Amino acid sequence: MMDLNAYQFFFIASSLFIGLPPGSNANTVNFSYSKGMQKQWALLPNSKCGGKHQSPIHIDSNLTIPMPIPALEMIGFNNFLMKPLTMTNNGHSVQLKLPESDGGSVRIFGALLDATYKMEMLHFHWGDTNCRGSEHVISHVRFPLEMHIVFYKQHFDNVEAASGHRNGLAVLAFIFQMREKDYKPLNTMIEQFPHLTEEGNTVQTNKSFTLSSILGRNMEVFYTYKGSLTTPPCSEVVTWIVFPDPLPISYNQMLKFRQMKTHESKLVDNYRHLQHINSRKIFVRRGPSFSSFHHNEMKDHLTTKFWD
Ligand SMILES: *[C@@H]1O[C@H](CO)[C@@H](O)[C@H](O)[C@H]1NC(C)=O
Ligand SMILES: *[C@@H]1O[C@H](CO)[C@@H](O)[C@H](O)[C@H]1NC(C)=O
Ligand SMILES: CC(=O)N[C@H]1CO[C@H](CO)[C@@H](O)[C@@H]1O
Ligand SMILES: [Zn+2]
């Protein structure tokens, strides 16, 4: 193994990877975000990274299709997440996972989702400077930080099984914008960051928080489109729900993200480059007044034809 060059190692390590969102599996995944390496993602075994329904994308609000989309229904967002929470620096993100014993206390349905989905974990993407970091770009603006809350269809036993099926996953994406003051609701997670500076570090905590304390505000307006995981193997199984109303984050809080490291360097700029939209449609829900349809009435429309 010692004589392998970086590219060979990348290939072998990736062939062990079974295909999940960042860090949802303990197996180490040796992929790199550097420019040259992202281009190689498509060449990996079982990779869909060269597909036509990839994420992230640029969401130009002028090109989105307004629709009377039902509200996103959120279950368990007002409850404290089940303890102990596990936070990990997996070398490509920092993630927070619910305990195995959590039987789906946090769930979503509604919007254009075709089922109920259970929360698996959340993680972040961020930049080395304030002008980059988010994966999605919204009306030409890239933000310093993006949070993904990953859900899998509750019909499946786990996220691994779900990620092998069309519509198996749903991800809620939240962008953050620089503000002067600390955004206190994030501190329960950020306080753990000093224990997570080295790749592979993991920490369990009994300090919990509610998702609604972080998300708090306008969840009525969102974009939704069909895309992929933003890490290899980039499986095209994700219904994305992207909230355009930015949450605040302070400069000092951003610095704490940037103190994390991989085996070789700072853990920063862990975002995938923009992918082509191709023939996809991006729908926008503009608010409750636009949503006259009941969830069930939308079900007939939830076909591939509708999305394509
Ligand atoms: C959207 O279109 C309007 C009118 O053509 C234009 O003024 C505005 O800059 C566009 N916005 C974006 C984000 O492109
Ligand atoms: C969390 O609380 C449980 C039950 O009180 C305890 O057994 C466990 O050691 C605690 N874990 C941590 C990381 O403090
Ligand atoms: C942990 C590990 O083996 N990391 C390797 C990942 O791949 C890079 C090259 O892309 C190597 O330099 C690392 O040693
Ligand atoms: Zn992500």
Side-chain angles (χ1 to χ4, degrees):
M1 292 291 279
M2 298 306 288
D3 294 321
L4 291 181
N5 67 33
Y7 181 75
Q8 286 169 318
F9 189 96
F10 176 59
F11 226 85
I12 291 165
S14 300
S15 65
L16 303 172
F17 178 46
I18 55 167
L20 298 172
S24 51
N25 188 292
N27 298 338
T28 41
V29 184
N30 198 19
F31 66 86
S32 162
Y33 278 103
S34 67
K35 210 166 202 159
M37 291 309 253
Q38 286 204 28
K39 293 218 175 87
Q40 308 294 342
W41 289 6
L43 304 175
L44 300 171
N46 303 317
S47 172
K48 299 288 185 291
C49 300
K52 291 211 161 14
H53 298 80
Q54 291 289 296
S55 296
I57 57 170
H58 173 212
I59 299 175
D60 183 337
S61 65
N62 280 355
L63 302 179
T64 58
I65 303 167
M67 278 277 296
I69 298 172
L72 178 71
E73 302 293 343
M74 294 164 283
I75 299 168
F77 281 56
N78 290 318
N79 300 334
F80 282 88
L81 296 174
M82 192 180 191
K83 301 177 288 189
L85 296 169
T86 305
M87 295 195 68
T88 306
N89 169 350
N90 57 30
H92 41 259
S93 187
V94 58
Q95 68 165 35
L96 174 139
K97 253 190 113 168
L98 304 181
E100 297 289 346
S101 55
D102 180 89
S105 61
V106 181
R107 281 170 286 155
I108 54 170
F109 64 96
L112 295 182
L113 299 172
D114 61 350
T116 299
Y117 290 72
K118 288 184 189 176
M119 179 177 166
E120 169 73 6
M121 54 98 136
L122 67 79
H123 63 258
F124 296 89
H125 302 265
W126 61 92
D128 197 16
T129 70
N130 299 336
C131 64
R132 58 178 195 255
S134 69
E135 295 212 295
H136 287 91
V137 171
I138 299 181
S139 297
H140 307 283
V141 181
R142 199 186 275 283
F143 295 84
L145 178 70
E146 182 166 331
M147 179 174 73
H148 291 158
I149 313 182
V150 178
F151 295 77
Y152 65 96
K153 195 178 273 190
Q154 73 169 5
H155 159 81
F156 294 104
D157 288 341
N158 51 50
V159 70
E160 290 85 352
S163 61
H165 291 81
R166 196 165 64 88
N167 300 336
L169 305 182
V171 181
L172 306 184
F174 299 86
I175 49 173
F176 290 77
Q177 192 173 40
M178 301 297 293
R179 287 282 177 263
E180 205 151 312
K181 283 190 186 152
D182 284 358
Y183 185 50
K184 295 226 169 73
L186 280 183
N187 282 348
T188 314
M189 282 189 277
I190 291 178
E191 279 163 9
Q192 301 299 328
F193 285 9
H195 306 296
L196 297 171
T197 48
E198 304 296 330
E199 176 172 352
N201 283 169
T202 189
V203 64
Q204 288 206 330
T205 174
N206 278 335
K207 285 192 191 151
S208 186
F209 59 95
T210 68
L211 287 177
S212 58
S213 69
I214 296 183
L215 313 179
R217 313 167 325 143
N218 183 2
M219 305 271 293
E220 298 290 350
V221 177
F222 55 78
Y223 301 111
T224 186
Y225 78 98
K226 297 280 194 191
S228 72
L229 302 179
T230 61
T231 54
C234 312
S235 316
E236 296 181 333
V237 297
V238 181
T239 303
W240 283 92
I241 299 179
V242 180
F243 295 89
D245 197 9
L247 299 167
I249 181 103
S250 73
Y251 181 67
N252 280 330
Q253 288 177 311
M254 279 310 310
L255 287 184
K256 293 188 175 149
F257 281 89
R258 295 177 189 140
Q259 275 161 10
M260 269 177 276
K261 291 182 267 186
T262 70
H263 283 313
E264 343 176 271
S265 56
K266 285 173 77 178
L267 176 47
V268 290
D269 296 333
N270 54 348
Y271 61 93
R272 189 183 187 197
H273 298 147
L274 290 175
Q275 304 296 305
H276 291 291
I277 294 170
N278 296 314
S279 61
R280 285 176 287 178
K281 289 174 181 162
I282 307 161
F283 296 105
V284 57
R285 181 181 197 266
R286 287 189 173 153
S289 58
F290 280 81
S291 152
S292 52
F293 289 166
H294 184 264
H295 182 57
N296 287 333
E297 295 175 54
M298 289 298 293
K299 275 198 171 150
D300 294 344
H301 299 290
L302 301 179
T303 61
T304 311
K305 201 155 184 266
F306 169 78
W307 284 97
D308 294 344

